[in-house]
Amino acid sequence: MANALREKVASGRLAVLMAAHNPLSARLAEEAGFDGIWASGFELSAAYGVPDASLLSFTTHLDMTRAIVEQVGLPLVADLDTGYGNAINVGHVVGAYARAGSAAVVIEDKTFPKDTSLLAGARQELVRVEEFQGKIAAARAAGAGHDLLVIARTEALIADLGIEEALRRGAAYAEAGADLLLIHSKQKTPDEIVAFTGRWGAQIPLVIVPTAYPQLTEAKVKALGKISIVIYANHAVRAAAQAMREVFAAIRQDGGIHQVESRIASVEDIFDLQRVPAMKAAEKKFLR
Ligand code: SPV
Ligand code: MG
C-alpha cells in the first residue's frame, strides 16, 4: 500500500494530524476529516495516568499503534520519544513500528529517559549531534522496504539552546537522512517558529506542533511555506478529560443520569463507532 502521507507531503499540500490515544479517538479524528493520526506519547501516558517521561514501555505504545492501524485507514505517525535508548534500540523499535503499518516515526534528540516538552522547568538534555545522526541512520535502515518516513525532532528550542543550535541540528539531521524535521517550541507566541522557518534552508520539509502558540492557524502556516505537517498533539485527551469532568460533575449534581442524556453520545452512536452494523451484516452472511 502506498504511503498516503508521503504522497501528501510530496504534493506540497499541508497535512493536518490529530492526536489519538486509542482507536476510538483515532476513528473520531478520521470522521472529522484529519489527514492522519498522531500516535502521541503524551496522550497515551495521560490515558494511563502517568507523566510523559519514558515510563510506559514501547510495547504498550506499539499495542496502541497496532490497534489504531487495524481500525483506521488514515496514515499514522508514531511518536517514539527518544527511541528508547541508543541507535540499536532505535533500529529494533522502528522495525516493529514499520511492520505494524506506521506511515512515519518521530524520534527526538533528548536523552533517555526523557521529560515532557511543555512542562515548565522540565529536564531537557540533548544527546550529541553525531549520536543522533546515528539514530536517524538506524531508523532509516530499519524502515527500508516499508516506505516509512523518518521524522527527526529537535528539542533545541525546548532546551533553550536558541535558533542557531536548532538550525545546526536540523541541518545535521537532514544530512543524516531524515525525511522531515520536527521543530518544537514552547514559546507562547509563534515568533520563534516563524523566525526559525524563515531561516531554515529547506533541505527537508518541517513539521510543527503549535500547542503552545495556537494563534498560528493553518492559513498562516501555509503562508509561511516550508512546513508540510501540523500536529495537534494533545487535543483528543484534553477534549475527553474536559467532557468527562463536566458530565461526571453534572451527574453528581443532579443525583442521577436523567439530565445528561442530550449532552453525551447516544448508545447507538457508540454502536456505530464500534462498527456494529458491519458485524450485523456479517452475521447475516456467515452465521448458519
Ligand atoms: C506528544 O504528543 O507526545 C508530543 C508532543 O510529543 S509534546 O507533548 O508537545 O511534546
Ligand atoms: Mg511525545
Side-chain angles (χ1 to χ4, degrees):
M1 199 172 76
N3 185 332
L5 188 64
R6 187 188 293 280
E7 286 171 10
K8 182 108 190 177
V9 167
S11 77
R13 282 171 300 145
L14 184 67
V16 181
L17 272 46
M18 176 50 72
H21 48 276
N22 57 28
L24 178 65
S25 47
R27 186 162 276 161
L28 289 164
E30 181 173 49
E31 192 180 276
F34 288 98
D35 299 305
I37 300 300
W38 169 238
S40 162
F42 174 85
E43 289 229 349
L44 188 64
S45 300
Y48 272 78
V50 300
D52 178 26
S54 301
L55 298 179
L56 299 183
S57 73
F58 97 81
T59 53
T60 301
H61 187 271
L62 179 61
D63 282 346
M64 172 187 81
T65 297
R66 286 199 184 109
I68 292 174
V69 168
E70 280 183 18
Q71 296 303 329
V72 174
L74 293 179
L76 177 144
V77 178
D79 176 9
L80 301 194
D81 291 349
T82 63
Y84 301 89
N86 66 18
I88 304 305
N89 299 79
V90 166
H92 176 69
V93 170
V94 170
Y97 279 84
R99 292 188 292 278
S102 306
V105 292
V106 174
I107 48 172
E108 65 197 50
D109 57 1
K110 290 207 295 235
T111 54
F112 177 88
K114 59 162 265 179
D115 201 354
T116 200
S117 300
L118 299 180
L119 176 69
R123 286 179 293 104
Q124 304 298 351
E125 227 175 82
L126 305 199
V127 297
R128 287 175 298 109
V129 171
E130 296 73 20
E131 181 181 343
F132 199 67
Q133 285 182 310
K135 291 172 90 162
I136 293 166
R140 278 207 73 94
H146 292 277
D147 201 14
L148 183 79
L149 291 167
V150 173
I151 304 176
R153 162 171 167 177
T154 185
E155 295 279 284
L157 300 178
I158 296 290
D160 292 322
L161 298 177
I163 287 181
E164 290 304 329
E165 179 65 6
L167 288 165
R168 184 177 85 88
R169 283 181 173 261
Y173 302 164
E175 194 193 299
D179 294 296
L180 298 105
L181 177 71
L182 192 160
I183 176 74
H184 204 2
S185 168
K186 60 185 178 186
Q187 297 299 316
K188 299 276 188 277
T189 71
D191 299 357
E192 187 176 52
I193 283 294
V194 170
F196 178 92
T197 304
R199 293 194 50 199
W200 177 238
Q203 297 92 323
I204 50 176
L206 299 174
V207 181
I208 63 164
V209 179
T211 307
Y213 48 93
Q215 314 89 313
L216 196 69
T217 61
E218 290 160 29
K220 289 177 184 164
V221 170
K222 285 180 193 159
L224 283 179
K226 303 183 194 172
I227 298 169
S228 289
I229 302 178
V230 171
I231 299 176
Y232 300 138
N234 53 31
H235 295 71
V237 79
R238 288 166 64 193
Q242 182 73 5
M244 284 190 262
R245 182 176 278 142
E246 285 176 12
V247 170
F248 295 173
I251 291 170
R252 295 300 293 164
Q253 171 88 24
D254 301 341
I257 55 174
H258 53 291
Q259 302 225 65
V260 295
E261 201 58 29
S262 64
R263 294 173 57 176
I264 58 179
S266 68
V267 177
E268 289 69 28
D269 188 1
I270 303 298
F271 288 158
D272 284 342
L273 289 166
Q274 291 173 292
R275 301 296 187 251
V276 169
M279 183 187 74
K280 288 294 149 197
E283 281 181 357
K284 281 208 182 77
K285 216 163 142 191
F286 302 126
L287 290 187
R288 294 177 193 172

